[in-house]
Amino acid sequence: MTAVFDEGTVTHRYADLGDVRLHYVEAGRGPLVVLLHGFPEFWYSWRHQIPVLAGAGFRVVAPDMRGYNLSDKPRGVRSYRTELLTRDVARLIEACGEHRAIVIGHDWGGAVAWLFAMRYPTMLERLVIMNAPHPASFMRDLLNPAQLLRSWYIFFFQAPALPEAGWRAGNFAALRRLLREDPVRRGAFTEDDIRRYVDAFSQPGALTGALHYYRAAVQQNPLTAREALARIDAPVLVIWGMRDRALGPALARPDRRWAPTARVERIAGASHWVQNDAPEQVNALLLDFLTPPKA
């Protein structure tokens, strides 16, 4: 259940959200689906899902989140606090002329999607999360030495300038190596895909903007994060690539107190890059979850 991605089938647009202008691509007509990418990605990470969802009768909107690629890159760590990231999603939905949307997020996009669901429950139709732990689960499991070791990069990213220099070294050699070697499926990212990723991170300010997500998350008052937690009653699907090197498998299932409806689908042969490693399985799960059964 895949479709060859043709960039001519998407329309590039910009949405002025007040304090930032976001670039996004749009395809299809129907109920609104917002796709939120992770680090170190941009809208193109959804190239396997956009044509399938649009073909199934959805209006698909995939933004470059603030700080990434062609979207605005506000200066300063505080510009990437989670309340601003979730507000961007709400304002983007409104800019699309809608009051509610299906929200799908991977990695950092998944973290934002979890918090959006808690802070804007009346704007959420359904929620899909891919390899992004529920915030309560992640805060709990960071106390686990094994997960703490897996999450070492979060603390490295707190250093000023050094992470940027490391990522830029050798014309983004680390990014190229990550996309070539980390996925399970050989060729999950083609050389053309990798070139696009390098181009996106070569945009002025893009690398620092992306790293500021991690810096803001650590610097944000933990009490504020805990107070933001709320139960999500909308339907939730979690898709988890089990060969994720950064996030342990125990993080896949959210606590029932916070997401009582959550259904978890584990894909054994996929890595953290689950929608690229196993696009056919992911797309089948999405269509099953999002498409109402016919009477």
Side-chain angles (χ1 to χ4, degrees), residues 13 49 94 117 133 167 174 225 229 233 257 261-262:
R13 301 187 188 280
Q49 286 68 52
E94 291 171 345
W167 279 99
L229 296 179
D233 291 316
R257 290 176 298 171
T261 69

Side-chain angles (χ1 to χ4, degrees), residues 235-253:
V236 177
L237 171 65
V238 176
I239 301 174
W240 201 273
M242 295 297 284
R243 293 172 66 176
D244 191 322
R245 296 183 188 182
L247 300 169
L251 291 171
R253 178 167 291 284

Side-chain angles (χ1 to χ4, degrees), residues 49 56-57 104 126 154 193 202 216 239 248 256 258:
Q49 286 68 52
I104 301 175
R126 287 174 176 259
I154 295 175
D193 295 337
S202 299
I239 301 174
R256 290 291 184 188
W258 303 115

Side-chain angles (χ1 to χ4, degrees), residues 37-42 64-75 80 164 167-168 172 175 196-215:
H37 65 81
F39 175 93
E41 301 191 85
F42 64 115
D64 293 328
M65 295 172 69
R66 68 163 61 197
Y68 281 85
N69 194 33
L70 301 179
S71 288
D72 281 354
K73 302 161 189 69
R75 301 172 72 88
Y80 297 86
E164 282 89 338
W167 279 99
R168 288 196 187 98
F172 291 90
L175 176 59
R196 289 172 180 257
Y197 276 71
V198 171
D199 287 347
F201 271 84
S202 299
Q203 299 293 324
L207 182 54
T208 294
L211 291 168
H212 277 350
Y213 280 61
Y214 293 94
R215 292 163 178 157

Side-chain angles (χ1 to χ4, degrees), residues 31-35 53 58-62 101-104 290:
L32 181 62
V33 176
V34 177
L35 303 175
L53 291 172
F58 294 97
R59 178 188 178 191
V60 184
V61 166
I102 296 161
V103 178
I104 301 175
L290 300 181

Side-chain angles (χ1 to χ4, degrees), residues 10-41:
V10 299
T11 302
H12 291 258
R13 301 187 188 280
Y14 286 87
D16 187 344
L17 307 185
D19 59 335
V20 293
R21 188 175 76 141
L22 296 191
H23 166 262
Y24 66 95
V25 300
E26 182 176 6
R29 299 176 65 182
L32 181 62
V33 176
V34 177
L35 303 175
L36 304 176
H37 65 81
F39 175 93
E41 301 191 85

Side-chain angles (χ1 to χ4, degrees), residues 24-273:
Y24 66 95
V25 300
E26 182 176 6
R29 299 176 65 182
L32 181 62
V33 176
V34 177
L35 303 175
L36 304 176
H37 65 81
F39 175 93
E41 301 191 85
F42 64 115
W43 72 263
Y44 188 72
S45 69
W46 299 107
R47 63 196 174 280
H48 299 298
Q49 286 68 52
I50 292 171
V52 170
L53 291 172
F58 294 97
R59 178 188 178 191
V60 184
V61 166
D64 293 328
M65 295 172 69
R66 68 163 61 197
Y68 281 85
N69 194 33
L70 301 179
S71 288
D72 281 354
K73 302 161 189 69
R75 301 172 72 88
V77 172
R78 288 182 58 81
S79 295
Y80 297 86
R81 301 189 313 276
T82 58
E83 61 264 33
L84 300 181
L85 302 176
T86 53
R87 190 182 70 187
D88 285 350
V89 180
R91 288 182 173 178
L92 179 60
I93 292 170
E94 291 171 345
C96 291
E98 300 291 345
H99 301 292
R100 294 170 65 85
I102 296 161
V103 178
I104 301 175
H106 169 250
D107 184 70
W108 251 111
V112 173
W114 277 124
L115 291 170
F116 171 81
M118 298 177 207
R119 291 171 174 161
Y120 298 89
T122 62
M123 299 188 74
L124 180 70
E125 198 70 47
R126 287 174 176 259
L127 178 68
V128 182
I129 302 292
M130 301 184 195
N131 283 72
H134 185 280
S137 301
F138 193 57
M139 285 189 285
R140 179 199 66 216
D141 275 42
L142 266 182
L143 301 176
N144 180 320
Q147 182 56 54
L148 190 61
L149 186 61
R150 286 174 180 256
S151 302
W152 67 270
Y153 59 94
I154 295 175
F155 304 100
F156 170 66
F157 288 169
Q158 302 308 306
L162 184 60
E164 282 89 338
W167 279 99
R168 288 196 187 98
N171 190 22
F172 291 90
L175 176 59
R176 295 173 188 273
R177 185 170 57 253
L178 180 70
L179 298 179
R180 288 184 184 124
E181 299 177 4
D182 202 48
V184 173
R185 182 170 67 89
R186 185 179 179 86
F189 294 94
T190 67
E191 289 306 308
D192 180 63
D193 295 337
I194 293 170
R195 178 188 58 77
R196 289 172 180 257
Y197 276 71
V198 171
D199 287 347
F201 271 84
S202 299
Q203 299 293 324
L207 182 54
T208 294
L211 291 168
H212 277 350
Y213 280 61
Y214 293 94
R215 292 163 178 157
V218 170
Q219 293 177 26
Q220 193 166 15
N221 184 341
L223 290 176
T224 302
R226 286 190 177 276
E227 288 167 1
L229 296 179
R231 196 174 85 161
I232 300 168
D233 291 316
V236 177
L237 171 65
V238 176
I239 301 174
W240 201 273
M242 295 297 284
R243 293 172 66 176
D244 191 322
R245 296 183 188 182
L247 300 169
L251 291 171
R253 178 167 291 284
D255 191 308
R256 290 291 184 188
R257 290 176 298 171
W258 303 115
T261 69
R263 162 187 156 198
V264 180
E265 295 287 347
R266 298 172 175 85
I267 301 180
S271 68
H272 177 76
W273 316 92

